[in-house]
Amino acid sequence: MPEEKTITFEAAMEQLETIVERLEEGDVPLEEAISIYKKGMELSKLCHDKLKNVEEQLTQILTADGHKENFSIPEEE
């Protein structure tokens, strides 16, 4: 899906929120629920991958004197 490659993190999160709201309503026909659940899983993976990519970019930062320093973000559990 080419759209998935270019969608922003924020847009993906908005779509995920809409999907969650629809599924929580409980009045979605089964076939549609399965379809939007799959879409939600794809969006969730996309968001995770985008966050992982940003984290990898931040793993090394330059200090004021130009030395590289490891940087990590603690994962939530």
Side-chain angles (χ1 to χ4, degrees):
M1 292 180 217
E3 173 196 341
E4 300 298 327
K5 302 281 187 219
T6 59
I7 190 171
T8 65
F9 176 81
E10 292 78 12
M13 286 301 293
E14 285 179 23
Q15 289 183 28
L16 265 174
E17 288 173 15
T18 301
I19 287 171
V20 169
E21 288 170 6
R22 294 257 348 256
L23 291 174
E24 285 179 344
E25 288 172 5
D27 61 351
V28 180
L30 181 60
E31 290 79 14
E32 186 180 350
I34 291 169
S35 174
I36 62 176
Y37 178 81
K38 286 180 181 178
K39 174 76 173 172
M41 292 303 291
E42 291 170 8
L43 288 166
S44 177
K45 182 183 181 324
L46 180 79
C47 289
H48 174 77
D49 291 346
K50 285 183 180 283
L51 286 174
K52 188 102 175 120
N53 185 24
V54 169
E55 184 177 353
E56 287 171 3
Q57 291 176 31
L58 293 174
T59 54
Q60 287 194 345
I61 57 172
L62 292 176
T63 60
D65 60 358
H67 287 87
K68 288 187 177 180
E69 186 175 289
N70 285 335
F71 176 80
S72 64
I73 301 170
E75 291 191 21
E76 294 181 22
E77 293 187 19

